Amino acid sequence: MAFDDEEFELVSPDSETESESLISFPTSTANPLPINPKHKRNIIIISSIIITTLLTFFHGFATHPPSPLPLPTRKPPPPPTTPGEPEPNSNFKYGSKYGTAQISGLQPSTPVFPFYDAYSGSRPAPDYSSFPSGDVPSSSFPPGSWQSDTEYVNHFIDSALSYVAKVKSSIISEYSNKDKDKDKDGSNEAFNEAFNEASNLFKIAVIDLPTLSPLASTNLADDPVLSSSAAYVETSSYENLSRRLIHALMTNSPFVMTLGGHSSAAGHGNSFNQSYSIVVGEVLSPLFAKLGMTFTARNCAMGGLGTTHSSKCGGDVYGNDTDVLLWDSMMTEGGLVKSDQFFRQGLLSNESPPFLLLAHAGYNCNHRNHFHVCKQLAGYAERYGAGIGHVMAATAEMVGPVASHFPVTKKADPTATPWAARYLRCDDSASTLQCTTENMYTDQDKYNSRCWVERNDFTPRVKQNSVKTPHHASWHPGWREHLYKGRLITFVLLSALEHGLEGMSRVTREEGVPYDGSNWHMEGVHEEVRSRLRKEMEEMGESAPPGGECFEAINFKSVQVLQSLTETNGTRLGGGQVLPHHGRSIARIICGRKMNCRTDYTPRADPERNLRGIVVDVPEGMEKNLLLGEEEYGGGDVAIEGQKVPEGEVDVVGLVTGGSGIGLASPTDSAGNHSAQIPKPTAPGTDPKFWRLAKSMVGTCDGTKCTSCGRNADSNCLLYGRNDAEVYIVGNKNTGPIKFEIPVERGGRAVELIMLRYKAPGNVDKKTKIRAKVEVNGERKVDETFTAVSDLSRQKVVTEEQLVVWYEEGRAEKAKGKGGEDVIRVTFNVEEGSSEVMLTHLYWA
């Protein structure tokens, strides 16, 4: 079946079958958009009409590559009426994130997205930075801007809806177990049946908060609606997620997804680019670019640690530009304290409070001591109006009822099962994804990552591991589990985008362009969340607020405080002691105010925000000791053969980027776009008289796909790509002092809390003492000595290794408006003992 013009006909979304062909709701077959809040539960599903059309589309992939399509013919819009020609690249000139993406229609058209912009010259754009959150009113879009061009908007929406629907269909097809022998009669019956079965893997429940809240502390699989769904999004959250996506589209701006989690989330055992957050970006980055946005997927998970140490950094590790924030750290941070701290700081520290997505808990929210984390998530929507969602069918052991919809891999012929779904389910009665070694599942089936591929232009100096990458643990998911989880999250975001495009289509056809701001402006939504958070802090009494597990944990645990503090009754407390009064005050800062930090742990959204970068008064020897080092080699990597989509299998990324959507045979890449061998890197200094950087990770380690992280000269697995590493600044009694200057925010709040996170060996010399000094505007605030403790428990919110160095209660209010003038310096010096001390994080607020 060849692709003809009729097959790619752009169907107007205002046709009679609009609600049927794109989204259907069991409670109302003709439900208008937006969703009526009276509906208790709704399931977004692929309807029979759109499935039939798209099944035919994808069934033809196997034998018929797409033929070029004629571009739609239409007259170019009139030139702008404003005097003079628009400046080149006027979309990029205002210095804010809004308007920085290339508008849709300027990239080469493809068979699945044939849209193009016939405008002559560079389109004018508004000054987005003049409006909070880039919320440009309709009257401020200049003539000639794409938002005010009726023909552009109509054609664009039609093309975008068709494009999104085809990509969603290709994701389902990737898991469709089609038996070609059953189609010898020329019918598509078997194909259609398999496609419909696979579509159950991507059902998304849109559920009202009053219905969700009582279910959130139970086994969600017991609910008839949620048990048949792979993910859910709260109703208002779904509307606001759609609004947020259309906002990015209307303002040609970035859309960022950030993941915090543990080793499984980081992708350990697999190539870094196989981790599920990067899988999301592989599809959405090129798709969003076609639609006039930029999409960034950022994997900031850390093996063995989780999120606690980075949560107190606010946006300095995870970034302050996140739109969707994922938490996947249940394995190492089970309970409510860590997740509460993570999500609270996410809401407080981002420019726009993000949509919160739980990405691990499964259907049973009490499974393995999950401590009602689903109920906690619902609480953020109830108390603050935050957007929430939950990817339930996310891991091997917790895939729940959805497992039955995966095609079964037969031992006699594993290749009969689609490549993406192979070895996920090996028994008809299986309730888990992961097959076992007893029924043909091997380590090589679970992981297809490699440490090195021989190439003709470079040979590493260190011998590379010949076969497998590190961390092939039973509790780490393999690449197929990461792929499915990534596809499911992609499906959630595409469904929300599709929903937003439908509303945009209906309104612009009825009311004209530009699309009215009441449908897509975000500042009001963001400010509602911010104001509720502020109100909670203002009204907080002696006890923690409802659901405030972060506050409670710090209130009732001993916080090690270096300086002597004065209690409200005038009593002086020695260092290391704290009464509930100070515990509550410190908790209110850590859990209720935007925190900052510097660290050399990776990944970091902005690699330039590091601890070594705020060291001042640096002697020459120490400067060399703090060098990061250079990469072993530069340029691109040779592709790993086993990671290519096999010939004849569905290729989702290929479809999105303009290919046929089916894997093609290709020769092995032996060199490609690579650089020659780099001369031996300059090694960092090792002068024992100064503090030094230890366990450094070279390259750009910001958690995104297009990085070259970890190409250290001593690495024996250069293709692993993992971004997470614990990097320390190490000193002892012979290294002298090290001084840091806190980069205070100009015009911001005055700093009133400084905390240090440090590590010491488990067999630490108990005589090891550290001297700490704090100077504020030249005035000595702290000059105390404390005994270093061993790394007894790095999983607690406040542990023996996290020290309040300086705390001046109420200083932020006393110095209101003058905080940006402060010069704050903190000095550390190991004075006694034989042990080394490792400085990891310096926090402040």
Side-chain angles (χ1 to χ4, degrees):
M1 180 191 70
F3 297 111
D4 54 29
D5 296 349
E6 182 179 358
E7 190 173 1
F8 280 92
E9 180 182 359
L10 301 179
V11 180
S12 171
D14 64 349
S15 62
E16 295 178 1
T17 60
E18 174 190 355
S19 61
E20 292 182 326
S21 63
L22 294 167
I23 297 179
S24 64
F25 304 92
T27 52
S28 175
T29 57
N31 183 54
L33 300 175
I35 297 173
N36 189 329
K38 293 182 180 179
H39 292 309
K40 294 298 182 184
R41 285 170 257 180
N42 299 312
I43 304 293
I44 300 173
I45 62 174
I46 306 295
S47 76
S48 58
I49 293 177
I50 196 67
I51 284 178
T52 301
T53 302
L54 297 176
L55 284 175
T56 305
F57 175 79
F58 279 97
H59 190 63
F61 274 168
T63 54
H64 300 282
S67 57
L69 292 175
L71 293 173
T73 58
R74 57 183 185 271
K75 296 179 181 179
T81 56
T82 50
E85 289 294 323
E87 296 178 16
N89 300 321
S90 59
N91 240 22
F92 297 82
K93 70 181 181 180
Y94 295 112
S96 70
K97 71 175 184 178
Y98 304 109
T100 55
Q102 186 182 64
I103 71 170
S104 183
L106 299 185
Q107 293 193 18
S109 59
T110 63
V112 290
F113 190 66
F115 176 76
Y116 73 101
D117 184 13
Y119 188 86
S120 177
S122 177
R123 285 186 179 272
D127 181 359
Y128 297 100
S129 63
S130 297
F131 306 96
S133 296
D135 287 351
V136 180
S138 296
S139 59
S140 295
F141 284 109
S145 63
W146 74 263
Q147 296 92 338
S148 59
D149 184 334
T150 300
E151 190 170 9
Y152 178 106
V153 170
N154 286 343
H155 280 271
F156 166 73
I157 294 175
D158 290 346
S159 296
L161 280 169
S162 176
Y163 185 31
V164 170
K166 288 183 173 75
V167 173
K168 289 175 66 178
S169 183
S170 72
I171 291 173
I172 296 173
S173 295
E174 202 174 18
Y175 293 86
S176 176
N177 194 11
K178 44 193 179 296
D179 186 341
K180 296 178 182 178
D181 291 339
K182 294 181 181 180
D183 284 336
K184 288 181 178 179
D185 61 357
S187 72
N188 289 339
E189 183 177 350
F191 183 93
N192 294 356
E193 181 181 346
F195 186 95
N196 287 325
E197 180 70 13
S199 68
N200 290 299
L201 299 171
F202 299 97
K203 282 188 176 179
I204 305 162
V206 177
I207 182 169
D208 287 353
L209 193 57
T211 305
L212 174 63
S213 294
L215 295 172
S217 57
T218 66
N219 189 339
L220 302 179
D222 294 335
D223 179 77
V225 173
L226 295 179
S227 66
S228 63
S229 306
Y232 69 75
V233 182
E234 187 271 327
T235 303
S236 296
S237 303
Y238 187 68
E239 294 298 328
N240 285 334
L241 179 58
S242 295
R243 175 184 284 259
R244 185 188 288 263
L245 286 158
I246 297 301
H247 181 276
L249 188 151
M250 287 291 293
T251 58
N252 298 118
S253 59
F255 193 92
V256 178
M257 184 188 83
T258 301
L259 166 67
H262 49 53
S263 57
S264 292
H268 284 194
N270 305 275
S271 299
F272 177 75
N273 287 340
Q274 292 179 306
S275 61
Y276 69 82
S277 55
I278 304 301
V279 167
V280 176
E282 281 187 327
V283 174
L284 294 188
S285 182
L287 186 148
F288 276 42
K290 288 285 187 184
L291 302 184
M293 301 175 277
T294 55
F295 182 89
T296 299
R298 193 180 286 148
N299 185 347
C300 292
M302 283 202 72
L305 287 174
T307 62
T308 304
H309 59 292
S310 294
S311 294
K312 288 190 288 297
C313 292
D316 289 332
V317 167
Y318 295 125
N320 61 6
D321 56 351
T322 297
D323 293 285
V324 176
L325 183 64
L326 287 78
W327 188 75
D328 185 355
S329 203
M330 195 71 71
M331 184 173 69
T332 56
E333 296 183 308
L336 297 177
V337 175
K338 287 84 172 179
S339 53
D340 190 35
Q341 186 181 78
F342 176 83
F343 283 133
R344 281 181 180 276
Q345 277 297 324
L347 293 172
L348 291 164
S349 61
N350 277 279
E351 296 173 3
S352 306
F355 175 85
L356 309 178
L357 187 61
L358 190 60
H360 183 82
Y363 290 83
N364 188 351
C365 293
N366 297 323
H367 178 66
R368 292 179 64 182
N369 297 322
H370 287 176
F371 298 101
H372 305 290
V373 69
C374 304
K375 187 174 182 179
Q376 180 187 67
L377 186 72
Y380 299 127
E382 292 173 340
R383 293 191 299 275
Y384 314 126
I388 63 166
H390 181 187
V391 177
M392 298 176 290
T395 64
E397 63 181 15
M398 286 177 278
V399 71
V402 172
S404 63
H405 300 296
F406 280 92
V408 176
T409 303
K410 301 294 185 181
K411 190 170 186 178
D413 185 13
T415 60
T417 302
W419 186 59
R422 201 171 299 159
Y423 301 115
L424 290 182
R425 181 171 169 241
C426 296
D427 189 319
D428 288 320
S429 62
S431 61
T432 63
L433 277 186
Q434 193 169 317
C435 298
T436 64
T437 54
E438 288 76 19
N439 58 12
M440 79 187 128
Y441 192 68
T442 67
D443 186 77
Q444 290 183 345
D445 296 322
K446 183 177 181 180
Y447 301 102
N448 65 0
S449 51
R450 295 291 181 270
C451 282
W452 189 249
V453 176
E454 295 300 325
R455 49 194 281 179
N456 58 22
D457 63 341
F458 173 69
T459 302
R461 288 189 299 275
V462 174
K463 184 179 179 180
Q464 300 293 290
N465 286 350
S466 58
V467 182
K468 66 181 186 179
T469 50
H471 308 121
H472 286 201
S474 61
W475 56 87
H476 288 158
W479 72 267
R480 286 185 171 94
E481 292 173 75
H482 276 281
L483 181 68
Y484 170 62
K485 191 170 182 176
R487 293 287 190 258
L488 180 54
I489 294 170
T490 302
F491 212 87
V492 170
L493 295 176
L494 286 178
S495 297
L497 175 60
E498 187 177 50
H499 180 63
L501 285 167
E502 289 167 349
M504 184 178 180
S505 174
R506 186 186 66 254
V507 172
T508 54
R509 291 176 189 273
E510 293 175 355
E511 302 177 4
V513 297
Y515 189 32
D516 190 75
S518 62
N519 301 289
W520 62 270
H521 285 178
M522 286 299 300
E523 178 60 23
V525 177
H526 298 326
E527 183 53 32
E528 176 67 19
V529 177
R530 298 187 197 109
S531 63
R532 292 195 193 184
L533 286 164
R534 287 195 300 267
K535 184 178 180 181
E536 178 183 73
M537 293 300 298
E538 292 167 359
E539 297 179 351
M540 189 182 303
E542 292 294 309
S543 59
E549 292 80 12
C550 176
F551 295 91
E552 292 177 354
I554 298 177
N555 276 352
F556 302 108
K557 289 187 181 294
S558 175
V559 181
Q560 187 182 6
V561 181
L562 179 59
Q563 68 188 108
S564 297
L565 296 174
T566 303
E567 182 57 352
T568 51
N569 61 7
T571 304
R572 294 285 292 176
L573 298 176
Q577 301 181 59
V578 64
L579 290 180
H581 168 71
H582 292 112
R584 284 192 296 271
S585 299
I586 294 171
R588 291 182 185 187
I589 296 175
I590 296 175
C591 306
R593 188 186 302 174
K594 174 185 174 182
M595 294 282 290
N596 293 95
C597 93
R598 289 295 183 268
T599 179
D600 282 292
Y601 276 27
T602 60
R604 301 185 304 276
D606 181 359
E608 297 302 314
R609 296 192 178 195
N610 51 64
L611 186 58
R612 65 187 184 279
I614 62 171
V615 179
V616 294
D617 299 341
V618 186
E620 181 180 351
M622 187 189 297
E623 184 176 2
K624 293 180 179 179
N625 282 8
L626 297 180
L627 288 175
L628 192 60
E630 299 177 19
E631 296 177 305
E632 169 75 344
Y633 66 98
D637 282 313
V638 177
I640 297 174
E641 183 64 27
Q643 295 180 5
K644 296 179 181 178
V645 177
E647 184 177 4
E649 297 283 348
V650 174
D651 183 0
V652 177
V653 177
L655 177 79
V656 172
T657 55
S660 67
I662 288 294
L664 303 173
S666 58
T668 301
D669 177 19
S670 61
N673 181 24
H674 313 299
S675 68
Q677 183 167 345
I678 294 176
K680 184 177 181 179
T682 302
T686 57
D687 191 328
K689 298 191 300 295
F690 302 104
W691 293 73
R692 72 183 192 280
L693 199 64
K695 298 179 66 175
S696 64
M697 185 76 88
V698 305
T700 302
C701 304
D702 62 1
T704 63
K705 178 182 179 181
C706 298
T707 60
S708 55
C709 181
R711 291 179 177 176
N712 294 48
D714 60 352
S715 172
N716 63 359
C717 197
L718 287 166
L719 291 186
Y720 195 17
R722 61 172 289 189
N723 274 223
D724 56 313
E726 299 181 48
V727 184
Y728 319 116
I729 296 180
V730 182
N732 55 48
K733 66 179 181 181
N734 299 317
T735 56
I738 185 169
K739 185 181 295 184
F740 302 93
E741 183 171 315
I742 302 293
V744 295
E745 182 180 349
R746 300 302 168 190
R749 290 177 65 104
V751 174
E752 63 184 30
L753 173 71
I754 297 175
M755 295 178 65
L756 168 71
R757 184 181 186 272
Y758 70 96
K759 293 168 68 77
N763 58 347
V764 61
D765 181 352
K766 299 186 184 303
K767 296 179 181 179
T768 303
K769 294 186 180 296
I770 305 172
R771 186 175 183 179
K773 300 178 184 178
V774 178
E775 293 182 345
V776 180
N777 302 325
E779 179 185 353
R780 181 72 55 85
K781 294 287 187 178
V782 173
D783 188 350
E784 301 278 355
T785 301
F786 63 99
T787 302
V789 299
S790 61
D791 181 12
L792 298 177
S793 177
R794 60 185 178 184
Q795 297 300 327
K796 295 179 180 178
V797 172
V798 176
T799 74
E800 293 85 355
E801 62 181 7
Q802 298 188 47
L803 178 77
V804 174
V805 178
W806 172 60
Y807 171 56
E808 185 173 319
E809 185 176 10
R811 183 174 184 272
E813 295 303 321
K814 296 174 187 175
K816 197 169 185 179
K818 298 181 180 180
E821 302 172 6
D822 289 335
V823 176
I824 303 176
R825 292 193 166 188
V826 185
T827 305
F828 298 103
N829 190 19
V830 182
E831 294 195 331
E832 298 179 31
S834 59
S835 294
E836 290 189 324
V837 173
M838 297 158 275
L839 308 182
T840 71
H841 296 71
L842 197 59
Y843 307 102
W844 67 89

